[in-house]
Amino acid sequence: MIESRITVYITLVAISGVLSIFLCLYSVYKRKDIPGSPYLILLTALQAVYIFAFAFELASDTLQEIKRWVVVEYIGIGFAPVLGLLLVIRYIAAALPRLLTYSMFAIPVITLIMTATNDWHHLFYKHIYLRDDTPTPMADVVIGQWYIVQGSYTFGCLLAGGLLLIWQWRKTNRAYRLQLFTLISGQFVPMIASFLYLMGVTPDGMDPVPFVLCITSSMYIWAMMSTHMLRISPIAKESLFESMAEGVLVLDLSEKLIDYNGAAQRMLPQLKASMIGDTLDTVWEKMCGNSFPIAREASGIQGHMKWQFRHSSSDYEVRSSVIKGKRGDIVGSLLMLIDATERYRLQEQLKQQAYYDGLTGIYNRAQFIHRARTMLEATEAKRQPVSLILFDIDYFKQFNDTYGHDTGDAVLIHTVTACRSLLPEDALFGRYGGEEFVVALQGYTGKEAVQLANRLREALPAAPLASAHGPLTVTASFGVAGADHSQYNLEAMLRDADEALYEAKRSGRNTVGIVSRSLAPESRPKPIPS
């Protein structure tokens, strides 16, 4: 029965060793992404050495063979607690002087020498002997003075690491407390198992630490794969991180989300803790259905982003900066979100004032002329015709004098609304001054512009303006100038359109006049009967 339990235990120990090797290989593979990876690689490798040496000790046939494997065990178990403590120190972003770091290995080195030469001095084990009541050779020991030193040092390293992690608990983001608990368990569980072994309460007097390391190794593997533990020290942030007005997303070298502060949560309400570990593009797809909108440049990420949430929108300036480790190596990046909503709104207001008419929302005179010149240059390159429509609201002064300026403003807005729906999308529409408006049409001949002007003229009285004074009928007079690029410039076309408009007004208003030198070089403006 005991022999069967020993066989099962050796099998479990071997599985623990395999898991430690797997964790070691995984750490090597991900070494560029894991700060402190040399400590983790050495720790898992030494754990594997200890575990397999222990398994071979259990399978040994003689006392001398058991002693040899005990020496090999202390190659692993003697140094592992120190490496575990250094890994914790690295994890919390603390640093030790190099001399102090090296000195921490002094006791493990002495222990290794002591175990290898124990038969000469018996300072580590006073006596090693085989049990009498076991079907397979199993050793018991009487501990010596240096065993107490090594045991105390091991307990001290594990306890110090655990306390350092517990001290970080309150400062740790809730999203990372599970991985922190995993690290704390990795410090205390082996310590408790070793204490139970020394108290002689384990089954058959077997050392449970190798099997316990199987459990802690599994926890480490799970933590690394599920929460990307140790990529960038997430619990090492100061209170400044949370108090910053700027939103901050912490990314690793693979652009995977590692952490974010409260400001980022407020700026991006869809951002959830469950997205930690996803790439930046995946996070954005989960939040808004699209990948991250700003291109990556060699110098990093920099640009402007508009964020829509429910019925409000915000403007954010986005900048990235690298995160460097203690040795100057790049371990990740910070993505900063700076709220620029008010600035962009002010810029938009200034743009509206500079480019658009404040009452009607169409181009003001200066902006229309600027864009019309650009249009003429484009038509010249493409050798297309271009036309202008200049129109003026009939008897507009009477609206102001009779009903007041508020009604006059309503007439202007009504006119623009009625005409805008009939204009092509690429038409330039501007308020030329007072009650006068102008339209520039690329690709329109004079005859086509006249047809459009008549549609505009007919649409105005067809939809009277509803006002406090009852329905008000609005009409307008139109002047059209059509030309091709080789004959007219903008100023000449505006003069001809104004002359045609004047002729339309003189001929009774609510009509369309035209000048088109390209169609009739010597023609004078003629009113087109309604």
Side-chain angles (χ1 to χ4, degrees):
M1 186 68 178
I2 295 177
E3 184 176 2
S4 175
R5 287 201 300 267
I6 291 174
T7 301
V8 172
Y9 189 64
I10 291 174
T11 302
L12 291 175
V13 170
I15 293 173
S16 175
V18 170
L19 285 173
S20 291
I21 291 175
F22 176 76
L23 182 56
C24 179
L25 293 175
Y26 183 83
S27 302
V28 171
Y29 176 68
K30 292 292 186 179
R31 63 188 181 279
K32 292 183 179 179
D33 296 338
I34 304 175
S37 59
Y39 295 141
L40 184 60
I41 293 169
L42 284 174
L43 175 62
T44 51
L46 290 175
Q47 281 182 348
V49 169
Y50 164 64
I51 292 169
F52 279 111
F54 182 77
F56 292 143
E57 177 196 337
L58 292 177
S60 298
D61 296 326
T62 66
L63 183 59
Q64 285 303 114
E65 192 175 351
I66 289 174
K67 289 181 178 179
R68 285 196 295 271
W69 285 118
V70 167
V71 175
V72 178
E73 286 175 31
Y74 274 93
I75 295 175
I77 198 62
F79 293 87
V82 179
L83 290 168
L85 177 57
L86 291 174
L87 183 62
V88 169
I89 292 172
R90 179 67 180 86
Y91 182 67
I92 65 174
L96 294 178
R98 183 169 297 182
L99 182 59
L100 179 58
T101 301
Y102 291 153
S103 67
M104 291 173 66
F105 291 96
I107 290 180
V109 169
I110 296 172
T111 297
L112 184 58
I113 297 171
M114 287 288 193
T115 54
T117 61
N118 188 70
D119 286 344
W120 298 346
H121 49 71
H122 300 286
L123 291 175
F124 197 79
Y125 295 125
K126 290 182 178 180
H127 184 44
I128 302 178
Y129 59 93
L130 294 177
R131 297 182 189 176
D132 296 329
D133 57 348
T134 57
T136 59
M138 294 184 66
D140 269 338
V141 300
V142 178
I143 63 173
Q145 295 90 332
W146 193 259
Y147 185 96
I148 297 173
V149 174
Q150 172 62 33
S152 300
Y153 188 65
T154 297
F155 272 83
C157 289
L158 292 171
L159 182 62
L163 292 177
L164 285 173
L165 293 171
I166 290 173
W167 182 65
Q168 294 289 341
W169 184 268
R170 293 185 63 184
K171 299 192 294 182
T172 302
N173 189 307
R174 290 179 180 269
Y176 286 100
R177 285 186 175 176
L178 185 58
Q179 73 173 37
L180 181 58
F181 177 76
T182 301
L183 281 176
I184 293 172
S185 300
Q187 296 295 309
F188 282 105
V189 171
M191 185 168 62
I192 295 170
S194 181
F195 179 76
L196 293 175
Y197 169 66
L198 292 176
M199 294 294 293
V201 297
T202 57
D204 301 319
M206 292 184 182
D207 187 353
V209 173
F211 177 67
V212 166
L213 290 178
C214 169
I215 299 174
T216 56
S217 295
S218 300
M219 294 171 69
Y220 277 129
I221 293 171
W222 170 82
M224 288 180 66
M225 289 186 171
S226 63
T227 60
H228 305 275
M229 188 177 71
L230 300 180
R231 293 225 172 150
I232 298 175
S233 304
I235 65 174
K237 61 186 180 183
E238 301 293 338
S239 59
L240 177 63
F241 182 62
E242 284 299 331
S243 64
M244 291 176 64
E246 295 82 6
V248 181
L249 304 181
V250 185
L251 309 175
D252 69 5
L253 288 175
S254 304
E255 279 198 351
K256 290 181 178 178
L257 180 64
I258 298 301
D259 202 358
Y260 56 85
N261 66 354
Q265 173 70 66
R266 291 188 294 272
M267 291 177 172
L268 310 173
Q270 300 95 324
L271 189 61
K272 306 297 181 186
S274 59
M275 297 176 184
I276 289 174
D278 292 334
T279 63
L280 185 60
D281 284 332
T282 302
V283 169
W284 241 254
E285 286 171 1
K286 288 182 177 180
M287 289 195 297
C288 60
N290 300 311
S291 57
F292 188 68
I294 302 176
R296 282 75 160 175
E297 304 290 345
S299 57
I301 297 174
Q302 187 167 351
H304 164 248
M305 176 183 71
K306 183 171 285 293
W307 188 259
Q308 188 75 33
F309 181 66
R310 293 178 181 169
H311 303 296
S312 63
S313 64
S314 302
D315 292 274
Y316 300 133
E317 290 288 347
V318 183
R319 301 172 189 167
S320 68
S321 59
V322 299
I323 303 174
K324 292 187 177 181
K326 297 292 183 181
R327 299 179 181 177
D329 54 322
I330 297 176
V331 296
S333 62
L334 294 179
L335 195 66
M336 307 283 291
L337 304 178
I338 303 168
D339 193 346
T341 304
E342 291 302 319
R343 177 161 61 85
Y344 274 91
R345 284 178 182 169
L346 179 59
Q347 289 177 352
E348 187 62 29
Q349 290 173 3
L350 293 174
K351 178 181 176 182
Q352 289 288 331
Q353 294 173 7
Y355 294 172
Y356 300 95
D357 176 58
L359 178 65
T360 62
I362 60 177
Y363 292 124
N364 59 28
R365 178 176 181 138
Q367 189 61 205
F368 172 85
I369 290 174
H370 170 73
R371 290 177 179 265
R373 285 200 176 101
T374 303
M375 175 186 283
L376 284 174
E377 292 174 2
T379 58
E380 182 176 3
K382 297 177 182 179
R383 304 189 67 82
Q384 291 179 326
V386 65
S387 295
L388 286 182
I389 299 176
L390 194 65
F391 65 97
D392 188 292
I393 298 174
D394 295 331
Y395 306 111
F396 179 73
K397 188 174 183 300
Q398 293 182 10
F399 287 110
N400 279 332
D401 294 343
T402 304
Y403 306 111
H405 289 282
D406 289 344
T407 301
D409 290 345
V411 169
L412 293 172
I413 295 171
H414 171 75
T415 300
V416 169
T417 302
C419 293
R420 181 179 271 166
S421 61
L422 297 175
L423 294 175
E425 289 186 4
D426 60 347
L428 296 180
F429 190 18
R431 185 177 177 185
Y432 200 59
E435 70 274 20
E436 196 169 20
F437 301 90
V438 62
V439 179
L441 300 163
Q442 185 175 359
Y444 272 64
T445 63
K447 290 181 179 179
E448 292 169 335
V450 168
Q451 293 172 357
L452 177 58
N454 269 307
R455 289 198 295 272
L456 298 176
R457 181 185 60 78
E458 292 167 357
L460 285 173
L465 169 65
S467 73
H469 311 285
L472 300 178
T473 300
V474 179
T475 64
S477 300
F478 294 77
V480 177
D484 61 42
H485 66 283
S486 62
Q487 293 172 314
Y488 276 4
N489 59 31
L490 179 61
E491 287 73 16
M493 293 185 70
L494 286 169
R495 285 196 301 270
D496 284 346
D498 186 64
E499 187 178 348
L501 172 60
Y502 176 77
E503 188 65 29
K505 282 190 169 187
R506 194 171 59 180
S507 301
R509 289 184 167 80
N510 194 23
T511 60
V512 177
I514 182 173
V515 168
S516 180
R517 300 184 191 277
S518 61
L519 298 178
E522 300 301 327
S523 65
R524 290 189 58 77
K526 299 178 181 179
I528 306 297
S530 59

